Amino acid sequence: MSPEHLRLAEDHAETAAWKKFGPYLTERQWGTVREDYSSDGNAWNYITHDMARRYAYRWGEEGLGGVSDARQLLCLGVGLWNGQDEMLKERLFGLTNGEGNHGEDVKELYYYLDSTPTHSYMRMLYKYPQQAFPYAQLRAHNAQRTRQEPEYELLDTGIFDESRYFDVFIEYAKAGPEDLLLQLTVHNRGPETANLHVLPQAWFRNTWAFEHYRPRPQLRSTGPGTVHLTHPELGEYQLYCDQTPALLFCDNDTNGVRLYNRPEEGKFYKDGINDYLVEGRQEAINTAQYGTKVAAHYQLTVAAGQAQTVRVRLRKTPLPAPFADFDQVVAQRRQEADAFYATLQQGMADPDARNVQRQAFAGMLWSKQFYYYDLNQWLDGDPKFVAPPSERRTGRNNNWRHLYNADIISMPDKWEYPWYAAWDLAFHCIPLAMVDAEFAKQQLRLLTRDWYMHPNGQLPAYEWNLSDANPPVHAWATWRVYQMDQMQRNGHGDTVFLEAMFHKLNLNFSWWVNRKDRNGRNIFEGGFLGLDNIGVFDRSAPLPTGGHIEQSDGTSWMAMYALNLMRIALELALTNPVYQEMASKFFEHFLYIVEAMTKGGDGQFNLWDEEDNFYYDVLHTPDGVRTKLKVRSIVGLIPLFAVEVLDDTLLSALPEFAQRLRWLLHNRPHLAELVSHWQVPGQGARHRLSLLRSHRLRCLLTRMLDEQEFLSEFGIRALSRYHQEQPYYFPMAEANFTVAYLPGESDSDMFGGNSNWRGPIWFPINYLLIESLQRFYAYYGDAFQVEYPTGSGHHCTLQEIANALTERLNKLFLQDSTGRRPSFGTNERLQYDPHFRDYPLFYEYFHGDDGRGLGASHQTGWTGLLACLLTSQSLTRISAEQDAKAGAVP
């Protein structure tokens, strides 16, 4: 057991709080719903990037490469100034939803390079230009571009030409749970000596300005380079700054004078350090050397090609010589991080794959965030603050008053999506379980807690609209994480976790049945279900035709949900027979959904199209007419996800369940005929439950594996390439609606500013497709083969196709024979510069034809599934090598 594994065990046993401090600061608190106190709900404009340096937030803190305690009362981060910028670099810059030609977008270069699950060691890289940061240029050029043009990025400005920039490596190492070492290493990549102001900062989140019972904490200088921190809840800490830099103090309070022209309320504000350095305002800082925010001011002169280091230590108790063992601790934690990942990556021979996977895990672990949102307080306002506008009480999220979030949560992207999303989080937990199964289980459990889940059983979607419906994948993630954890625990499954999740998910399943099955026919809606811009209409809004859409994907998700809950109930039934009855309930509900998918719920209309051999959404208009919306998208592939394979051994152990199955299949023959060959065991006496009989399975796979339709060189596209030459048109008197294949970002803003799904590749759906193929293979074995790619004449088993799709997805990130990574696109600096080429970005989605990364650049959340796929590919290679060796034995 490595030292990091021991720390994980100590933290889980609560004998040492190794996770008390971590990367829990967001990258963007401005422009969020939580901080929006406007009457019109325009969160992007209520607090802007320009305002952020002067505004004390209510619900959280942001920082560059920052950490905090788990309640985000005490924060530690990095400030930089090249002497040219109009403001200190204390936070990441990006365009708002209205400013970007494809919606919101961060315009910085930063990389999460390493982290252990307890954050005993962390490392990230920020690339800081030596010239003035081109804020205005980025805004202006993107404003001029249309949705048909690509985004204008920081590299496009030319500011990195001649390598005139600093590489700022930010490292944290823990000597103990409350003993943090921060090391900043600044490399001058440019051709000439350059100056840089480096400002490690410590500050308290402002709690005192909002509630009467919150006293003001204090930081106070106690000597050269030394700060004593006192907080009424956290207690006392010491901040030590190497080389005795100047200490600059101010307060984490809003500068109402600069923002709102209010009468001066006090002397020192949040922007005091910024104004002191950038504007030369000597009066902006507190020369009495105390406040609630402090920066250690280092002025570095770094020669071309050289590096300098800054060291800071934050710890609970005083230490006479805080830097005596500093270098030793940092080096030791680096080695321990290497040992932890060496165990995880055993058998992964490719050093590039190991590097990419380790950075994928780093992105997952750095993307934890303290997320604070008390809806009751947010709606009604704080006793010491300006009351919210009256519109708030009938506006966004007003029916979620029970919701109280104050937890460490895995974020999709801490700049672009600094708020949890229910279905994103489910995917996050799969790679997270590889490194920290306890945290993955805790995350899944969190959204089902009473103070998250709505009393009606709905899971909160995301802060922009908590009542939106995300695809119900929580049960799938729960079962997968349980299995992964069971393997790590030598076969001992955490049934306490599984049982708790089952009961709450049962409530959520009932919410879906009661709220999203409009006519009680087991045909489901659900709205956009994460697939905005994939169809003809905005499925979350009233339709221009009136009526409603019977969703192929919504119904398929629910079939998958029923099978997931059935499988969980069967596992619980092995130790508590009462769950056999619950398993039977979900098995029967699955059969009714299969019948509805096959016969349209009322036996008159089918979501399956016999002519095209594909599943489509169906538009049901008020006049009773039903129209198939013949868009070939992943909506029609999602039925593949609803598949479960049970073996005779399990059925033998659960006689009551087995008996109920036999009764249903004998007495409900119209349902029995829908379950393909249930009575005919597959490979190894296995039985299959699926929405698809073998004919429809072959039909869907024929389309999915066609390179002129869904199959890209880099995975499965979200929309068939068929629609490039044959767009789908839906004519109406008011306007014609069109869906055409777009391999990258959408050219339509009908679904909102950042709605980009019309043909790209994205990991969650691809991951589920691969997993489904593996489950089908578990039933069929080698006997069932299909053409891969379609039209090639080459036939493969479903496992071989799953392996091939895994390889295509991995290929997005791995260097090819020429050293290029497809996700980097055509940018030569990214592809070949030694200071860029080994730092992949984990994009939100990928171009359907050339594989370049698009959307949010740090959405390691669901793209972090890559870590699982790299391990899978490595295991496949090892297995193939072992088979080859075995075959060579006489």
Side-chain angles (χ1 to χ4, degrees), residues 56 61 203-206 208 250-253 270 292-293:
E61 290 290 338
W203 70 99
F204 293 114
R205 177 166 61 87
N206 189 326
W208 55 89
C250 63
D251 283 303
N252 188 18
D253 286 299
K270 177 179 176 179
T292 51
K293 178 180 178 182

Side-chain angles (χ1 to χ4, degrees), residues 532-544:
D532 46 334
N533 223 341
I534 200 68
V536 182
F537 307 113
D538 182 348
R539 300 188 303 181
S540 289
L543 300 177

Side-chain angles (χ1 to χ4, degrees), residues 508-723:
N508 181 244
F509 185 87
S510 298
W511 175 84
W512 275 91
V513 170
N514 293 329
R515 298 297 181 95
K516 297 300 181 181
D517 180 6
R518 180 182 296 258
N519 298 311
R521 296 187 293 107
N522 293 300
I523 293 289
F524 292 87
E525 300 169 53
F528 89 106
L529 290 180
L531 307 180
D532 46 334
N533 223 341
I534 200 68
V536 182
F537 307 113
D538 182 348
R539 300 188 303 181
S540 289
L543 300 177
T545 62
H548 63 278
I549 291 177
E550 298 172 340
Q551 294 182 210
S552 176
D553 58 331
T555 308
S556 302
W557 286 121
M558 285 301 291
M560 174 185 173
Y561 201 173
L563 288 178
N564 296 150
L565 288 175
M566 180 200 74
R567 188 62 189 87
I568 291 172
L570 290 174
E571 181 74 5
L572 295 171
L574 292 173
T575 53
N576 186 348
V578 73
Y579 283 101
Q580 293 184 75
E581 190 173 335
M582 293 299 294
S584 300
K585 163 189 156 46
F586 287 112
F587 170 73
E588 189 169 355
H589 206 128
F590 167 74
L591 291 182
Y592 292 134
I593 296 173
V594 175
E595 181 182 36
M597 284 286 285
T598 305
K599 299 179 180 179
D602 57 8
Q604 298 177 6
F605 206 82
N606 199 336
L607 299 181
W608 175 261
D609 188 82
E610 293 290 351
E611 181 182 358
D612 290 354
N613 289 322
F614 202 73
Y615 283 103
Y616 295 118
D617 281 348
V618 172
L619 175 64
H620 196 161
T621 48
D623 57 6
V625 174
R626 283 170 163 169
T627 305
K628 286 180 181 173
L629 302 174
K630 292 193 173 184
V631 178
R632 294 182 196 167
S633 75
I634 49 177
V635 163
L637 298 179
I638 288 175
L640 288 163
F641 300 164
V643 54
E644 187 58 72
V645 177
L646 305 177
D647 60 43
D648 279 343
T649 303
L650 179 63
L651 295 178
S652 298
L654 302 169
E656 182 182 334
F657 174 73
Q659 182 181 358
R660 179 61 177 166
L661 294 194
R662 287 191 293 269
W663 188 94
L664 278 169
L665 297 173
H666 177 74
N667 292 280
R668 301 288 185 267
H670 66 291
L671 297 178
E673 68 183 12
L674 301 173
V675 185
S676 179
H677 302 296
W678 170 260
Q679 301 293 355
V680 181
Q683 180 176 257
R686 291 172 175 167
H687 304 273
R688 190 191 74 178
L689 293 170
S690 170
L691 281 177
L692 307 171
R693 300 188 70 169
S694 58
H695 169 69
R696 291 189 180 180
L697 175 61
R698 286 188 182 277
C699 290
L700 281 187
L701 292 179
T702 297
R703 288 215 183 279
M704 187 180 89
L705 302 176
D706 188 338
E707 292 177 315
Q708 299 307 309
E709 291 219 31
F710 288 97
L711 183 61
S712 161
E713 184 180 353
F714 306 103
I716 301 300
R717 302 177 175 103
L719 189 71
S720 172
R721 205 166 184 269
Y722 164 83
H723 290 301

Side-chain angles (χ1 to χ4, degrees), residues 101 107 137-138 141-142 145 150-154 156-157:
N101 62 322
K107 298 299 182 184
Q137 184 180 351
L138 286 164
H141 278 259
N142 279 281
R145 294 197 173 191
E151 295 170 337
Y152 185 73
E153 304 291 3
L154 184 60
D156 297 329
T157 67

